[in-house]
Amino acid sequence: QEIEEKTQHDVVAFITNVGQSIGKDAQYLHLGLTSSDILDTTLGVQLKSASEILIQDLEKLLKVIAEKARLYKDMACIGRTHGVHAEPTTFGLKLALWFDETKRNLTRLRQAKHEVCLGKLSGAVGTYSNIEPFVENYVCKKLGLVTANIATQVISRDVYAQYMVTLAVIGASLEKFATEIRHLQKTEVLEVGEPFGKGQKSSSAMPHKRNPVICERICGLARLLRANAQVALENVALWHERDISHSSVERIIFPDSTLALDYMLNKFIQVILGMKVYPDNMLANLVKTRGLIFSQRVLIALMNKGLARLSAYDLVQKAAMQTWKGTGNFKDNLLTVAGVARYLTVKELDKIFDLDYYLRNVDKIFQKVGL
């Protein structure tokens, strides 16, 4: 640090300091190299190690999601589009989708790790002017790195941008999963909740509160990963064979993003392992709209009877709007709409209003995603 205050160059300070301790062999230290030969090769070692930790995290998350998906495979709940009740699904299917997305993220990270495990020892502009390529090959092999095919004074920053974007994509997936839990934990919904420990407090003012604070934290940190990925993209364009505009920010974004994602993954594992599931509330929400969730099946049944789609849609929508206004249930309202009873009997309607029909392919979907 004392030397760097004078030289204003970290690698020069390091070489000078180490050189004072190794005697005659100091003449060979850093011979033919440039600073980025050390810094970029070191970064390859660091990102390799960091990636291995993150890959282990993802593998663990994949396992715990799979266990919960199988557990709740057949637990019926309402599916929502635009935040509005749509058609029945199962909570297990929600988790199966997360499982499939996490598998893709694991593949992405493994690929990104392969891309950044690079080293270079090719000198000031990458021409091996004062060092032979065999030295680079020897060192990189020792370090478990791949030798960059070609470099300038630095390894091209596109590989690091890809890596940082991959971290941001994984963060975005975690944000997606956490956002779903946040919505499902709303008081009016309360189908799922994140863990709440004994003695935990959610509000300094309101003792009754049980807030989804872990999931909110994950959502916030996902923004950081995206911001850092943007910085990595801006680092790709450097002047000529290299400038130093990328260096200062890389000292922040790489440790910050890898640490943040490790934290997010472990916190979300904690959420999945300890989440509260409320099947009675799922069932209550499923019937909350008094049968409206079966509207598409009624529409298709009328079309199968020969009605034009628009005519059938208008009939079903008329009964649906009556139900929305709080008048009766959807099945009874259908029978009061002129035209519906002419095509569908009460027995046929009973068959249409069958929850199991919607869930008949759950096993097939689970097989498709490998659960």
Side-chain angles (χ1 to χ4, degrees):
Q1 287 178 337
E2 290 173 3
I3 297 168
E4 189 177 347
E5 284 179 13
K6 180 180 178 180
T7 62
Q8 295 297 301
H9 196 293
D10 55 352
V11 176
V12 170
F14 174 74
I15 294 164
T16 303
N17 181 243
V18 174
Q20 292 169 350
S21 305
I22 61 175
K24 223 168 76 172
D25 288 339
Q27 64 181 308
Y28 302 111
L29 180 64
H30 203 66
L31 184 63
L33 300 180
T34 188
S35 297
S36 288
D37 287 329
I38 307 305
L39 297 175
D40 279 3
T41 304
T42 300
L43 182 59
V45 173
Q46 290 172 317
L47 289 177
K48 180 183 178 183
S49 298
S51 299
E52 287 166 356
I53 293 170
L54 294 173
I55 286 168
Q56 289 173 5
D57 292 341
L58 276 169
E59 289 172 340
K60 185 174 180 182
L61 177 59
L62 202 60
K63 182 180 178 181
V64 298
I65 292 176
E67 289 171 355
K68 295 291 185 177
R70 295 186 189 102
L71 180 62
Y72 298 116
K73 183 181 73 169
D74 300 313
M75 183 174 286
C77 63
I78 189 62
R80 297 170 176 90
T81 57
H82 304 272
V84 179
H85 286 203
E87 289 187 343
T89 182
T90 75
F91 187 56
L93 283 176
K94 286 179 183 280
L95 294 170
L97 184 122
W98 298 359
F99 173 83
D100 198 46
E101 191 162 335
T102 302
K103 273 203 304 186
R104 290 195 298 275
N105 282 331
L106 183 55
T107 299
R108 290 181 183 115
L109 185 56
R110 285 172 173 156
Q111 175 63 28
K113 174 196 168 189
H114 174 75
E115 295 292 336
V116 294
C117 288
L118 294 175
K120 64 89 64 179
L121 298 173
S122 53
V125 293
T127 58
Y128 303 96
S129 56
N130 295 296
I131 191 169
E132 291 301 317
F134 82 85
V135 177
E136 180 182 71
N137 292 330
Y138 177 85
V139 171
C140 287
K141 186 177 180 181
K142 279 272 188 177
L143 295 174
L145 301 178
V146 175
T147 303
N149 290 334
I150 183 172
T152 56
Q153 192 172 105
V154 296
I155 292 172
S156 293
R157 270 26 220 173
D158 62 292
V159 296
Y160 304 115
Q162 179 187 354
Y163 183 83
M164 293 296 288
V165 168
T166 299
L167 299 191
V169 169
I170 297 169
S173 291
L174 292 172
E175 180 184 21
K176 167 186 172 179
F177 308 158
T179 298
E180 180 70 10
I181 291 175
R182 289 170 62 193
H183 282 306
L184 295 177
Q185 192 168 329
K186 288 179 180 178
T187 307
E188 298 82 0
V189 179
L190 202 56
E191 295 182 3
V192 178
E194 67 174 46
F196 192 83
K198 185 178 181 181
Q200 183 175 338
K201 309 290 188 287
S202 273
S203 169
S204 62
M206 296 170 284
H208 73 277
K209 296 280 279 177
R210 292 181 65 161
N211 299 332
V213 291
I214 300 175
C215 288
E216 288 172 337
R217 205 177 307 154
I218 288 168
C219 291
L221 287 171
R223 300 168 191 167
L224 177 70
L225 297 183
R226 287 194 289 275
N228 286 352
Q230 176 64 33
V231 174
L233 288 165
E234 292 179 9
N235 283 346
V236 174
L238 303 176
W239 288 11
H240 304 299
E241 275 60 56
R242 179 256 177 130
D243 63 52
I244 203 171
S245 60
H246 66 290
S247 177
S248 56
V249 289
E250 285 184 352
R251 295 167 195 242
I252 298 169
I253 62 174
F254 286 122
D256 276 11
S257 288
T258 50
L259 284 164
L261 185 56
D262 175 59
Y263 177 83
M264 293 163 69
L265 285 164
N266 279 284
K267 279 295 174 183
F268 197 66
I269 288 167
Q270 177 185 334
V271 169
I272 294 295
L273 285 172
M275 69 180 172
K276 310 294 183 185
V277 179
Y278 304 102
D280 290 344
N281 290 346
M282 289 183 181
L283 183 59
N285 288 331
L286 199 59
V287 301
K288 194 171 187 177
T289 56
R290 303 185 304 283
L292 287 177
I293 59 177
F294 299 101
S295 69
Q296 185 175 192
R297 281 208 74 197
V298 179
L299 171 66
I300 293 171
L302 288 172
M303 291 168 61
N304 288 338
K305 294 282 188 174
L307 265 73
R309 181 181 184 86
L310 187 57
S311 299
Y313 194 106
D314 287 343
L315 290 175
V316 176
Q317 189 178 43
K318 185 176 180 180
M321 292 306 105
Q322 289 177 5
T323 311
W324 270 117
K325 291 174 184 176
T327 306
N329 64 63
F330 183 49
K331 190 191 296 185
D332 292 339
N333 289 335
L334 281 166
L335 294 172
T336 66
V337 173
V340 174
R342 190 187 319 160
Y343 293 94
L344 296 173
T345 66
V346 174
K347 188 175 180 181
E348 285 174 319
L349 278 176
D350 287 341
K351 190 175 180 181
I352 289 169
F353 282 64
D354 175 20
L355 183 64
D356 290 338
Y357 177 85
Y358 290 88
L359 310 180
R360 68 192 188 282
N361 290 314
V362 170
D363 285 340
K364 292 178 183 177
I365 298 170
F366 265 63
Q367 288 170 8
K368 281 177 68 178
V369 300
L371 282 169

